[in-house]
Amino acid sequence: MGMLRGLALAFSVSFFSCYLAMVSSDVASSDSDGDGFLQCLREKIPRELVYTQSSSNFTDVLVSSIKNPRFFTNATARPLCIVTPGDASHVQAAVVCGRMQGVRLRVRSGGHDYEGLSYRSARPSEVFAVVDVGASLRAVRVNRLESTAWVDSGATIGELYYAIAKNDSLVAFPAGECTTVGVGGHFSGGGIGMMMRKHGLAVDRIVDAKLVNADGDLLDRAGMGEDLFWAIRGGGGGSFGVVLSWKVQLVNVPPTVTVFNIGKTVDQGAVDILTRWQDVAPSLPSDLTIRVIVQQGQQALFQGQYLGACGALVETMGEQFPELGMTSADCQQMTWLQSAATPFISFSSNGTLEEVLLNRTASLSTSTKGKSDYVRRAITKAAWEEIFSRWFAMDGAGRLILEPHGGFMDTIPAAATPYPHRNGVLYVIQYMAFWQQQGEGGAAAKSWIGGLYDFMGQHVSKNPRRAYVNFRDLDIGQNDDDGTFDFENGPLWGERYFVGNYRRLASVKSVVDPTNYFRNEQSIPPLIETTTQVM
Ligand SMILES: Cc1cc2nc3c(=O)[nH]c(=O)nc-3n(C[C@H](O)[C@H](O)[C@H](O)COP(=O)(O)OP(=O)(O)OC[C@H]3O[C@@H](n4cnc5c(N)ncnc54)[C@H](O)[C@@H]3O)c2cc1C
Ligand SMILES: *[C@@H]1O[C@H](CO)[C@@H](O)[C@H](O)[C@H]1NC(C)=O
Ligand SMILES: *[C@@H]1O[C@H](CO)[C@@H](O)[C@H](O)[C@H]1NC(C)=O
Ligand SMILES: *[C@@H]1O[C@H](CO)[C@@H](O)[C@H](O)[C@H]1NC(C)=O
Ligand SMILES: *[C@@H]1O[C@H](CO)[C@@H](O)[C@H](O)[C@H]1NC(C)=O
Ligand SMILES: *[C@@H]1O[C@H](CO)[C@@H](O)[C@H](O)[C@H]1NC(C)=O
């Protein structure tokens, strides 16, 4: 509690025992049918910015940024309406009307949430509306003198990278690898990527933000205060308000970067190389990031990005990771922006830089389920052998993506931002299962990912087993609609994402949104202080 200076006033009057509870709020008790909400919106927002279920292109707008067809089926409950704000006042109006009329809001920026929480509710009875900031709040304004940019939440990271590099190709921003990811959700949860070993997460480079809070107030960093500003940089989207834009500090990149993509099958020594990679990758020079994709075909793909030219890279690889056998023939030299758009990293299709980086179109063909773990002690060779021989020989096998930490990541204290997975983390594992049909198909894929995740429990970080909030996974726990949690006796999903930062997030929430208006299946609940002795 020592760090909660800003909350001292609220906590100083009594002794208390703490637990987390879902408080009943103005909204929970409402049985709104939405008419009052729509009427309220009509008075405050231009009609053409509100798509109701009866609008002819309601479905087009709803589906426009859905990335996971699992959550676009006939059975998926539809929002009452979709608000596509053109400026801050429209977002403020949606919040004010929502609170007044008992309608919850789901905020959507890029629509990539693994559980679809930005546009669907897992509770069929919930009346909710979507505020889709991705529809038009997408500007990027670069300030070259300051080496900063303001980026609207609805922009994709591809749009951000493009706008920065078009202004000056020697600056960039450290964030994710898939260009269609939305800035709004991505920055809210952390933002890991190929430059994090040198420059940190996206949230490590955010210096200001504009947010509409649960009272409908528009606040910047000075207005919201340091506790709330801390919470929105990694505490996960959808808990604290609607972030409209972020001010980011740009980083320098060299004119030439080098990427490589080296596949090794088990027969070619993938197990030994991967076992070695676990210790090598987190301690390489921070200019060099090598991630690994383990996939079908008994194969590990080693994908590297080096912030420099081929010659120096080959030398470093020869000294530090000779096992991979990388040579200058593996080098692909390009600009940083090209590396951010290159299919080897982002899996996007061929096309011009503009076509790849600015393409927001969702492909709705592949359903996915993701999960995550963190590794602090290298997994044994025997375990990797079993992962390949047993789990990647199975029907429904998907892929693992391993992303090294270390470097700059080790220098940031775990409490500096809500993202706690810092010093000593070797790498994060993302498990991904996929199948080619809508809805609840994919039995083999789901059973594969569930079984593998159980198996991996013995090999990864424990007490609590860690997870990354941006790889959202409802299996690890959900807020109870009416129940209360005992803070001390979990198991709590929040501690798995945020470890020691969960409590501070809940404390901030109790101050800025005490009635829990911004709420979803995994939003931060307010920390309720029960008074045991009143002065
Ligand atoms: C193909 C793919 C690749 C990915 N690659 C990476 C990667 O390289 N690195 C990485 O770290 N992550 C990656 N992710 C995960 C990604 O960072 C998260 O899914 C992120 O939350 C997506 O943000 P979004 O705006 O696209 O999603 P949305 O679904 O729009 O939002 C996600 C969550 O944030 C909330 N939210 C959205 N906008 C706002 C806002 N403006 N204010 C407040 N809350 C908001 C939503 O309500 C929801 O709860 C990837 C995901 C996918 C599907
Ligand atoms: C909605 O439909 C109208 C008329 O069909 C069309 O002009 C408009 O572009 C559509 N808007 C969106 C966002 O799809
Ligand atoms: C959804 O409903 C439409 C129209 O009723 C129907 O044609 C379609 O087959 C349904 N899709 C699924 C996946 O059930
Ligand atoms: C880059 O941004 C600055 C404003 O910071 C602007 O004056 C300049 O014209 C921009 N340059 C390009 C090439 O867009
Ligand atoms: C890109 O184009 C090349 C050559 O046409 C092709 O071999 C490759 O499969 C394409 N990649 C993607 C991701 O479409
Ligand atoms: C944009 O992406 C979609 C989905 O991946 C793809 O079908 C389409 O061809 C892409 N458009 C361009 C112009 O590259």
Side-chain angles (χ1 to χ4, degrees), residues 142 307 314 397 523:
V142 177
L307 299 170
V314 172
S523 57

Side-chain angles (χ1 to χ4, degrees), residues 142-145 166-167:
V142 177
N143 183 331
R144 190 60 196 99
L145 270 180
K166 280 297 137 180
N167 188 275

Side-chain angles (χ1 to χ4, degrees), residues 51 56-57 60-61:
Y51 296 84
S56 61
N57 36 21
D60 293 342
V61 176

Side-chain angles (χ1 to χ4, degrees), residues 107 109-113 118 177-178 182 185-186 192 238 241 243 468 470 472:
V107 192
S109 289
H112 280 58
D113 191 277
S118 53
E177 294 133 24
C178 171
H186 187 60
I192 66 177
V243 180
Y468 174 34
N470 263 349
R472 193 181 310 273

